[in-house]
Amino acid sequence: MPFSGSLAVDLVDPKILHGSQISMCELEHMKKYPNAKVISLGIGNTTEPIPDIVASSMADYARALSTPEGYSGYGDEQGNKALRKAIAETLYRGLPIKDTEVFVSDGAQCDISRLQILLGSDVSIAVQDPSFPAYIDSSVIIGQAGDFQEAVEKYQNIEYMECGPQNNFFPDLSSTPRTDIIFFCSPNNPTGQAASRQQLENLVKFASENGSIIVYDSAYAAFITDGSPRSIYEIPGARKVAIEVSSFSKVAGFTGVRLGWTIVPEELLFSNGIPVINDFNRIVCTCFNGASSVAQVGGLASLSSQGFKAVLSVVDYYKENAKILVDTFTSLGLKAYGGVNAPYVWVHFPGSSSWDVFSDILEKTHIITVPGSGFGPGGEEYIRVTALGHRDSMLEASTRLRTLFP
Amino acid sequence: MPFSGSLAVDLVDPKILHGSQISMCELEHMKKYPNAKVISLGIGNTTEPIPDIVASSMADYARALSTPEGYSGYGDEQGNKALRKAIAETLYRGLPIKDTEVFVSDGAQCDISRLQILLGSDVSIAVQDPSFPAYIDSSVIIGQAGDFQEAVEKYQNIEYMECGPQNNFFPDLSSTPRTDIIFFCSPNNPTGQAASRQQLENLVKFASENGSIIVYDSAYAAFITDGSPRSIYEIPGARKVAIEVSSFSKVAGFTGVRLGWTIVPEELLFSNGIPVINDFNRIVCTCFNGASSVAQVGGLASLSSQGFKAVLSVVDYYKENAKILVDTFTSLGLKAYGGVNAPYVWVHFPGSSSWDVFSDILEKTHIITVPGSGFGPGGEEYIRVTALGHRDSMLEASTRLRTLFP
């Protein structure tokens, strides 16, 4: 009698299919056009070198691991004290975030899953539609999602909060049902939209009134240009209702180095009065053993005054890329959202299937994009392009789009 | 209406209390004896420098991240191809492990939790008693364990497989009920015992007959001296019933650097015929984003022929330590198990409470140990001491134990 697993039934996962479908299309395209120089504006992966001050700090630390003075073993599961302090003081300056409320992680996506373990299968969740697929994927895996309903392309137990230009990319909360958890990403992946202060005030009020927890993903906060809040904790009352998940991946080029953090404020309580931070601490100590010590040293260096200036100059580089992409699509008479507060540009093709647009662009210009439907049904008619890339790729993509695509 | 969490009820966790109780005792002791030089033989933390060839590889890689040629972003979630290949070819030489069956992780403990996510709350589990607490802790968190029964100090739904000198540290399988999952750690933490080939053959047969999956933890395999199997896959039939979890932490001194791996053989199937590897791959891609690229470079260097020789010489150093500890306790007329195939020595104090022994040793010698009861009820009457430490600490501990303790 072989073992009967609980997960096997969920194997046909739309997102996994989506990702491999893009790869398959790319492979077929390269077979069809073996000499084409394919440009990827698909996956949001950093490409620019890490500033020397940050890389050197990691190198020096790693080399010293071979000396009695420089060696160290297990650190605190929650992260090095100095790094937790630097995150609280640098990235949350002026906000009452304590270093003990900062949990250093190996990336936002990993902590989203650890939060799902904390929350368990019995909670109800809401997500922005469109949104970063990890919220729904982890929800499916932990058993919250219910059946996938082909007709509407939604999981039965997940509340999809429509966010598009028709509502300034913010859900109509008056018609949104209460859920235990609200995943909210700002600046949003894939739309590139940062929620305004007023919008976030409404969100915090909504969560407070409903007894919901907001899991706020601020992984792209460093890209914010227009004065929108960089943290949910800029909103009064947020400490009682919100967890914030974030990352060094995009701000410091740490996609491969792996480093992130999560804030759980002491005031966030379960209904029985027990602080959520106690349980999250337990999850971190049981399911995680701390981020790599080398990565943590790099993270700390990136928050020094010189280091922070240096990493932000890389962010500026990507923002310049985003401007090139926005201008390109705009010049084609298309509405291009995002790109100002995030490294993603979200382009609308009214009336078109996002997969058709993806194929059309690939065929005509040899450029890989991401069909919007991969981010939820609300992404239909859109494609996402990433500004995380080399400048020359952006310029070449722009030229091809302007000349070959229309 | 504040949110009602599902975990809060489990907060009184014996293991968490256990760990903090040790710290509390240490603090009180230091208050009582402010001038005492406390030696910790408690937590199993590496202390010796990483070989230069390994540290340099990480340093060089980290420094090159600041150059266009040396920079890289996201890697494969499953790990670098070269590292997966090196693990398969170096650590599983002669065994039919494919590189695609190797999933690189940030440590064994982290993958144990990811395996628990894969398995879900509805499976039944068995653990060795005593055992590394992460199996039970993660089981409690994922919701498999049921109520904690104070009288027997066991969770209701967990099968505790007694492993002591009375049964050569191997469970009596004829009286062990079937469970879906069997966590089995060899060489075992805390007992230091490596299961023999015959014992593992019995275990694989038992799992095959019962349709159980063995989650085999081989984190200490590099310490094996006596020819016992280093991997469950040395046993015929294991590919159909076993997942192996392992780690660079103890073999390469990577406790802080964070690197491990998990093997999921293609032949391991759910009862519906779907390979478990498919689902585990999905968990890894959703709940994890790959181990730190810097750590992976170090792991690869540690598996080069020169690197492997260098890290094994550190293992030998710890094994010498273990011998000192075994000899010390033996000279005191005590039975000391382990230390030959693992960096842990498991000392029996017949008729004594393990906490009493812990306190007695601390009071008389200023040495921190771990009371065996923290590893399960089967650990009562024992303490665990670790050989992971500086030689001078071991020698000093030996002197104190020989002169002050009896």
Side-chain angles (χ1 to χ4, degrees):
Chain A
M1 178 178 66
F3 171 73
S4 169
S6 53
L7 237 196
V9 289
D10 294 321
L11 261 183
V12 184
D13 176 27
K15 174 253 180 174
I16 301 283
L17 287 178
H18 190 262
S20 56
Q21 202 171 335
I22 293 177
S23 308
M24 221 168 60
C25 291
E26 185 173 353
L27 279 176
E28 274 175 24
H29 185 79
M30 285 164 72
K31 221 187 285 179
K32 189 171 166 189
Y33 301 102
N35 298 320
K37 213 188 127 214
V38 173
I39 297 176
S40 178
L41 303 181
I43 180 174
N45 196 1
T46 49
T47 57
E48 300 311 300
I50 289 173
D52 185 57
I53 182 172
V54 179
S56 295
S57 72
M58 291 194 282
D60 293 346
Y61 176 83
R63 195 173 303 279
L65 286 172
S66 68
T67 66
E69 305 73 33
Y71 183 75
S72 64
Y74 287 122
D76 293 337
E77 291 95 338
Q78 303 89 347
N80 293 344
K81 285 190 179 63
L83 178 57
R84 297 172 83 185
K85 194 161 177 282
I87 290 171
E89 292 181 357
T90 308
L91 298 172
Y92 296 92
R93 184 171 296 167
L95 297 173
I97 301 295
K98 298 181 189 172
D99 51 2
T100 50
E101 295 171 326
V102 178
F103 293 82
V104 175
S105 75
D106 57 336
Q109 186 169 341
C110 311
D111 257 1
I112 287 165
S113 283
R114 283 187 281 265
L115 284 168
Q116 293 283 25
I117 296 175
L118 174 86
L119 300 166
S121 59
D122 291 336
V123 302
S124 55
I125 76 158
V127 298
Q128 290 155 294
D129 180 27
S131 68
F132 177 45
Y135 316 127
I136 289 178
D137 293 346
S138 60
S139 174
V140 170
I141 283 175
I142 214 76
Q144 300 159 348
D147 291 335
F148 186 70
Q149 307 185 294
E150 300 281 351
V152 289
E153 300 201 318
K154 293 180 181 180
Y155 284 95
Q156 192 174 6
N157 299 343
I158 294 179
E159 182 60 33
Y160 291 71
M161 304 184 296
E162 197 182 283
C163 294
Q166 72 285 359
N167 56 13
N168 285 319
F169 292 93
F170 189 78
D172 177 2
L173 297 176
S174 70
S175 66
T176 302
R178 178 203 179 272
T179 56
D180 295 317
I181 310 298
I182 302 167
F183 284 98
F184 198 92
C185 179
S186 178
N188 180 273
N189 173 7
T191 67
Q193 296 294 310
S196 68
R197 194 166 303 270
Q198 179 64 55
Q199 288 174 334
L200 292 180
E201 283 171 4
N202 292 344
L203 183 67
V204 166
K205 185 162 171 282
F206 180 74
S208 303
E209 286 170 357
N210 284 313
S212 307
I213 290 180
I214 300 165
V215 177
Y216 190 81
D217 184 341
S218 65
Y220 299 97
F223 289 81
I224 289 177
T225 308
D226 72 356
S228 300
R230 286 206 166 84
S231 163
I232 191 68
Y233 303 116
E234 294 186 33
I235 309 302
R239 286 180 59 86
K240 287 190 177 170
V241 297
I243 291 167
E244 186 162 304
V245 174
S246 202
S247 175
F248 285 88
S249 286
K250 306 299 158 61
V251 60
F254 271 28
T255 43
V257 171
R258 313 299 313 137
L259 195 68
W261 71 91
T262 291
I263 309 283
V264 185
E266 290 170 358
E267 289 95 317
L268 184 67
L269 305 179
F270 289 113
S271 60
N272 60 5
I274 290 178
V276 172
I277 190 173
N278 293 8
D279 277 14
F280 189 66
N281 185 60
R282 180 173 162 199
I283 298 280
V284 166
C285 292
T286 304
C287 306
F288 186 54
N289 232 329
S292 175
S293 52
V294 187
Q296 293 193 65
V297 166
L300 188 58
S302 78
L303 297 179
S304 67
S305 66
Q306 202 188 332
F308 202 51
K309 206 181 283 179
V311 297
L312 289 184
S313 75
V314 182
V315 168
D316 284 340
Y317 175 94
Y318 292 130
K319 287 207 277 197
E320 279 290 316
N321 285 350
K323 193 171 177 322
I324 292 168
L325 294 173
V326 170
D327 290 350
T328 302
F329 287 105
T330 305
S331 78
L332 298 175
L334 295 160
K335 274 297 243 182
Y337 301 95
V340 175
N341 294 317
Y344 297 122
V345 180
W346 186 238
V347 192
H348 196 188
F349 295 82
S352 297
S353 131
S354 62
W355 270 109
D356 287 349
V357 175
F358 166 87
S359 300
D360 196 27
I361 292 178
L362 180 58
E363 182 65 28
K364 289 179 179 159
T365 68
H366 310 304
I367 295 172
I368 300 282
T369 59
V370 183
S373 61
F375 301 98
E380 198 49 283
E381 300 192 354
Y382 288 85
I383 57 154
R384 188 196 79 176
V385 288
T386 180
L388 301 169
H390 295 312
R391 180 66 43 80
D392 53 359
S393 298
M394 298 295 146
L395 293 172
E396 169 70 14
S398 175
T399 304
R400 290 191 201 169
L401 286 162
R402 285 173 196 262
T403 55
L404 303 173
F405 180 60
Chain B
M1 181 178 63
F3 170 75
S4 170
S6 53
L7 237 197
V9 288
D10 294 320
L11 261 182
V12 184
D13 176 29
K15 175 254 182 173
I16 300 282
L17 286 178
H18 189 262
S20 56
Q21 203 170 332
I22 294 178
S23 309
M24 222 166 59
C25 290
E26 185 173 355
L27 280 175
E28 273 174 25
H29 185 79
M30 287 164 71
K31 224 189 282 180
K32 190 170 165 191
Y33 301 102
N35 298 320
K37 212 186 129 216
V38 173
I39 296 177
S40 178
L41 303 180
I43 179 174
N45 196 1
T46 50
T47 56
E48 299 312 298
I50 290 174
D52 185 57
I53 183 175
V54 178
S56 295
S57 72
M58 291 193 281
D60 293 346
Y61 176 84
R63 195 173 303 279
L65 287 173
S66 68
T67 66
E69 304 73 33
Y71 183 75
S72 64
Y74 286 121
D76 293 337
E77 290 95 338
Q78 302 89 346
N80 293 346
K81 284 191 180 62
L83 178 57
R84 298 171 81 184
K85 194 159 175 286
I87 290 171
E89 292 180 357
T90 308
L91 299 173
Y92 296 92
R93 183 173 297 168
L95 297 174
I97 301 296
K98 299 182 187 171
D99 51 2
T100 49
E101 296 172 325
V102 179
F103 294 82
V104 175
S105 76
D106 57 337
Q109 185 168 345
C110 310
D111 256 2
I112 287 165
S113 282
R114 283 186 282 265
L115 284 168
Q116 293 283 25
I117 297 176
L118 173 87
L119 301 166
S121 58
D122 291 337
V123 302
S124 53
I125 77 158
V127 298
Q128 290 153 295
D129 180 25
S131 68
F132 177 46
Y135 317 126
I136 289 179
D137 293 345
S138 61
S139 174
V140 170
I141 282 175
I142 214 77
Q144 300 159 347
D147 290 336
F148 187 70
Q149 306 183 296
E150 299 283 349
V152 288
E153 299 201 318
K154 293 180 180 180
Y155 285 95
Q156 191 174 6
N157 299 342
I158 294 179
E159 181 60 33
Y160 291 71
M161 304 185 297
E162 199 182 281
C163 294
Q166 72 286 0
N167 57 12
N168 285 319
F169 292 94
F170 190 77
D172 177 4
L173 296 176
S174 70
S175 66
T176 302
R178 177 203 181 271
T179 56
D180 296 317
I181 309 299
I182 302 167
F183 284 97
F184 198 92
C185 179
S186 178
N188 180 272
N189 174 8
T191 68
Q193 297 294 311
S196 69
R197 194 167 305 270
Q198 180 62 57
Q199 288 175 335
L200 291 180
E201 282 170 6
N202 292 345
L203 183 67
V204 165
K205 185 162 170 280
F206 180 74
S208 303
E209 286 170 358
N210 284 312
S212 307
I213 290 181
I214 300 165
V215 176
Y216 191 80
D217 184 340
S218 66
Y220 299 96
F223 289 80
I224 289 177
T225 309
D226 71 356
S228 299
R230 286 207 166 83
S231 163
I232 189 70
Y233 303 116
E234 294 185 32
I235 309 304
R239 287 179 59 86
K240 286 189 177 169
V241 296
I243 292 168
E244 185 163 305
V245 174
S246 203
S247 174
F248 285 88
S249 286
K250 306 297 158 60
V251 59
F254 272 27
T255 42
V257 171
R258 312 299 314 136
L259 196 68
W261 72 90
T262 290
I263 309 283
V264 186
E266 290 171 358
E267 289 95 317
L268 184 67
L269 306 178
F270 289 112
S271 60
N272 59 6
I274 291 179
V276 173
I277 191 174
N278 293 7
D279 277 14
F280 189 66
N281 185 59
R282 181 174 163 198
I283 298 280
V284 166
C285 292
T286 304
C287 305
F288 186 53
N289 231 329
S292 175
S293 52
V294 187
Q296 293 193 66
V297 166
L300 186 59
S302 78
L303 297 179
S304 67
S305 66
Q306 202 188 331
F308 202 50
K309 205 179 286 178
V311 297
L312 289 185
S313 76
V314 182
V315 168
D316 284 340
Y317 174 94
Y318 291 131
K319 287 208 276 198
E320 279 291 316
N321 285 350
K323 193 170 175 322
I324 293 168
L325 294 174
V326 169
D327 290 349
T328 302
F329 286 104
T330 305
S331 78
L332 298 176
L334 294 161
K335 276 294 244 179
Y337 301 95
V340 174
N341 294 317
Y344 297 122
V345 180
W346 186 238
V347 191
H348 196 187
F349 294 81
S352 297
S353 131
S354 63
W355 270 108
D356 286 349
V357 176
F358 165 87
S359 300
D360 196 26
I361 292 179
L362 180 57
E363 181 66 24
K364 290 180 180 158
T365 69
H366 309 305
I367 295 172
I368 301 282
T369 60
V370 183
S373 61
F375 302 98
E380 197 50 280
E381 299 191 355
Y382 288 85
I383 57 154
R384 188 195 78 177
V385 287
T386 179
L388 301 168
H390 296 311
R391 180 65 44 82
D392 53 359
S393 298
M394 298 295 144
L395 293 171
E396 169 71 15
S398 176
T399 305
R400 290 191 200 170
L401 286 162
R402 285 173 195 261
T403 55
L404 303 173
F405 181 59

